[in-house]
């Protein structure tokens, strides 16, 4: 059978290995498996969320409230914007899919950082768009601007903090950049880890309200999968001028968010204390990674997220080391597919991190 030609050079997204797979492949007990591969919140989610979801568990027979009014209102209140500035997706992944389909086709170029979130490329290929990348590993907005002027991309992705490297763009620099972009180019600011960045350094904070009111060609993306601890519920969002949101809505399948997910995300937003505690613990534990890297004489990228990127020395091989860790039940992300001899490790709980350090020290 033949398929759409555009699918030919798309590589299937390689998600962090699930615990179930490691149990099956290596016969390791689930309790001995440490999953540090997908930047989930190691402390889980707020107990208030669990209670709220339990309380509505019997509502599964009915379709969800497709207006999503409760979550939409909670988000618009949080960001001080209107309900018509918000779209909710099955993960912010789905919003990325909508916006690429809404804006790009096979005659378009899409500009992104040399190393960045893999889904931008996958969705770009769905529509046959040409992917243009910068050359520097960190976002260099001067380089972005130069390429923008030459290539006239339809969409520019800025991932801040960036996945898989953890570095973040200075918000003043970002604003200076956005100012120079013409109104028909969509600038996407993916803030999947922004809660962490804001806590570490206020100069990385994006004030979403000001940004989208001033720039009608900007969309900000957020997710409940990381700091809020709801990766399994699949909820993300986009915030932009209502004209953008209106177009994205045309691509939304009905009932794209489940009743339980809508409830979970709404309640998660109201328990800010839980999130802030997790973020504090995250940066306390991250210090141990910095100490570990120093001691082992490997580079660690200064991270504004809940993960660290350990850049190995040339006599160490990231693929080999990830696979040795996996055989011992520790799942991390090998970055060799990003042409980096590095591994990305989610900052786990104190105990998980100690376990990682012990094994990693042996394998280095
Ligand atoms: C995790 C992540 C997302 C989206 O995750 P969802 O679970 O689909 O909401 C988006 N961008 C980046 C950079 C991420 O790391």
């Amino acid at each position: 059978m033949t398929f759409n030609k555009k699918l030919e050079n798309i590589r299937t997204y390689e998600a962090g290995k699930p615990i179930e797979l490691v149990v099956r492949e290596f016969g390791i007990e689930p309790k001995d498996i440490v999953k540090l591969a997908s930047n989930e919140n190691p402390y889980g989610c707020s107990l208030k969320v669990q209670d709220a979801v339990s309380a509505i568990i019997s509502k599964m027979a009915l379709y969800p409230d497709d207006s999503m009014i409760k979550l939409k209102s909670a988000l618009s209140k949080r960001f001080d914007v209107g309900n018509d500035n918000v779209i909710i997706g099955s993960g912010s992944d789905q919003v990325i899919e909508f916006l690429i389909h809404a804006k790009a086709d096979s005659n378009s170029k899409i500009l992104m950082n040399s190393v960045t979130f893999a889904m931008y490329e996958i969705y770009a290929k769905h529509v046959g768009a040409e992917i243009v990348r910068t050359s520097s590993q960190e976002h260099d907005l001067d380089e972005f601007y130069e390429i923008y002027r030459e290539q006239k991309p339809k969409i520019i992705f800025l991932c801040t903090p960036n996945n898989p490297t953890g570095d973040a763009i200075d918000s003043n620099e970002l604003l200076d950049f956005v100012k120079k972009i013409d109104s028909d180019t969509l600038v996407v600011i993916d803030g999947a880890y922004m809660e962490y960045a804001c806590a570490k350094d206020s100069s990385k904070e994006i004030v979403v309200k000001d940004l989208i009111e001033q720039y009608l060609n900007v969309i900000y993306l957020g997710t409940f999968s990381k700091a809020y601890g709801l990766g399994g519920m699949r909820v993300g969002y986009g915030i932009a001028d209502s004209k953008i949101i209106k177009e994205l809505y045309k691509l939304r399948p009905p009932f794209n968010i489940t009743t339980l997910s809508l409830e979970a995300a709404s309640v998660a937003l109201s328990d800010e204390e839980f999130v802030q505690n997790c973020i504090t613990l995250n940066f306390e534990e991250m210090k141990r990674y910095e100490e570990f890297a120093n001691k082992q004489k490997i580079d660690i990228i200064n991270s504004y997220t809940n993960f660290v990127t350990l850049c190995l020395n040339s006599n160490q091989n990231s693929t080999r080391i990830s696979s040795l860790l996996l055989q011992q039940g520790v799942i991390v992300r090998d970055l060799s597919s990003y042409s980096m001899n590095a591994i990305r490790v989610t900052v786990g709980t104190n105990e998980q991190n100690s376990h990682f350090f012990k094994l990693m020290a042996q394998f280095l």
Side-chain angles (χ1 to χ4, degrees), residues 91-93 96 117 120 159 163 190 192-193 223 225-226 234-236:
S92 57
D93 255 305
I96 297 168
F117 190 48
Y120 309 151
C159 187
N163 179 5
D190 185 345
Y193 303 93
T223 179
S225 302
K226 310 288 162 55
R234 313 300 306 123
V235 192

